[in-house]
Amino acid sequence: MRAANSNVIPPPVISESDSGTTRLGWLLSMALVAGFAVLYLFNPVEHSFYPVCQFYKLTHLYCPGCGSLRALHQLTHGHVGAAFLSNPLLTISIPILAWIGIRKLLRLPTHSATQSVFQSRAPWLVLLVVIVFGILRNLPFAAFAWMSP
């Protein structure tokens, strides 16, 4: 009879759901690359097939996402300054989201205490930042003019 060794870690088991998740990941990656190719080739300022912001159309106020397509177009061409002028929040968010995504893909270890606190408050913090940005970019003061697209 073998004694159970608690220090032995069993090998990972690949199930059907893992292969489905991998397939979905590849499809999303290909769609993302295709979307960036379209943004690279066709400037949103010059082509009318891009969607129009319905919030701006109804209220004539800039939503937090206004200027995002222009910013992404500028980023695909390497113009970070022009992208920042189109949508500062998106331009600042991309490196942060890339860092989070890479950590998740590589499954890098995190500190469990900070991770649980961050995960519970992160959605509320993101929502607060987006709402404050949306309000500030519509204020009629010169100090906030740089936020509008």
Side-chain angles (χ1 to χ4, degrees):
M1 184 181 273
R2 295 169 92 178
N5 188 351
S6 62
N7 294 332
V8 176
I9 299 172
V13 177
I14 299 175
S15 66
E16 286 296 319
S17 65
D18 291 339
S19 65
T21 304
T22 304
R23 227 177 282 129
L24 179 63
W26 277 107
L27 285 172
L28 289 175
S29 298
M30 290 187 322
L32 190 65
V33 168
F36 278 117
V38 170
L39 273 169
Y40 180 81
L41 296 171
F42 302 103
N43 188 345
V45 175
E46 299 169 357
H47 295 86
S48 62
F49 61 83
Y50 289 104
V52 178
C53 178
Q54 295 301 315
F55 183 78
Y56 181 78
K57 193 175 178 181
L58 291 172
T59 64
H60 294 287
L61 296 172
Y62 298 119
C63 77
C66 281
S68 294
L69 285 174
R70 292 184 295 263
L72 288 173
H73 173 75
Q74 294 298 331
L75 285 174
T76 60
H77 288 276
H79 306 295
V80 178
F84 186 82
L85 291 175
S86 293
N87 192 318
L89 182 63
L90 177 75
T91 308
I92 292 170
S93 299
I94 287 177
I96 297 168
L97 293 173
W99 178 73
I100 292 169
I102 289 169
R103 289 189 62 85
K104 287 212 178 269
L105 280 174
L106 298 177
R107 296 185 178 138
L108 295 175
T110 57
H111 302 289
S112 59
T114 28
Q115 182 180 10
S116 64
V117 170
F118 179 72
Q119 285 180 346
S120 65
R121 295 184 181 161
W124 294 108
L125 180 63
V126 169
L127 181 64
L128 178 67
V129 167
V130 169
I131 290 172
V132 168
F133 176 72
I135 292 169
L136 291 179
R137 76 185 320 199
N138 286 294
L139 293 179
F141 305 117
F144 304 113
W146 61 274
M147 291 183 177
S148 59

